[in-house]
Amino acid sequence: MNQLTFIKKTGQEIASVFDDLAQLRIEVFKAFPYLYEGSVAYEKDYLKVYAASKNAFLFAVYDDKKMVGATTCIPLIDETDEVKKPFLKANIDINTVFYFGESILLSKYRGLGLGHRFFDERENYAHGFKQCKMTCFCSVVRPENHPMRPENYQPLDEFWIKRGYQKNAQLKSQFEWLDIGESIATEKDMIYWTKNIR
């Protein structure tokens, strides 16, 4: 492991690392619970929303020239309709919410405090927007008896709770992607975790 370096990008600048970010997302999200069979083309289409928002933010970690970790956030109002929908349905003002996208890290770099750093960077960035009162992210819901659930799997719920987030059963979306071993994409239930920052 070389000395790690860190970068920050906002808005259109994020597009300059789309290739790195796409590859990292595909690699990390292949594991349970996402089981994502990704493609660079799909990823680049998905990531366009960040480059289109002048207030989107990316913080990434590099080991030499390889991106080994990354995290993003974006004002909820700039997100896709499927992300905004549950908040609108719950009568939450989407102008006051920042949505946290991926928080991904290759396994050999875990345990170094980078997960906390990712949340610190995003929360500090969101706090700079006076209208922002809440931060949120979503996680996939998989059944306890899922056949691909590893025996030693530890969900991140405890970590998120320690960061001050609460699971909100009222806020749910369905996102579609191709699972490993599937021939067609299927909808997955996603549940949101929220934290009031003001």
Side-chain angles (χ1 to χ4, degrees), residues 25-86:
R25 280 175 48 88
I26 290 167
E27 190 169 349
V28 173
F29 285 137
K30 201 164 198 169
F32 189 87
Y34 285 89
L35 304 173
Y36 168 58
E37 191 73 85
S39 71
V40 172
Y42 177 92
E43 284 297 311
K44 285 188 172 182
D45 186 61
Y46 165 81
L47 292 168
K48 282 191 304 190
V49 69
Y50 291 97
S53 169
K54 67 178 182 179
N55 292 322
F57 173 73
L58 170 133
F59 177 79
V61 185
Y62 279 81
D63 187 350
D64 196 16
K65 294 180 180 179
K66 181 177 173 63
M67 184 186 284
V68 299
T71 194
T72 58
C73 65
I74 187 172
L76 181 59
I77 196 164
D78 292 342
E79 254 295 351
T80 60
D81 289 343
E82 62 187 353
V83 178
K84 290 186 281 194
K85 185 177 177 181

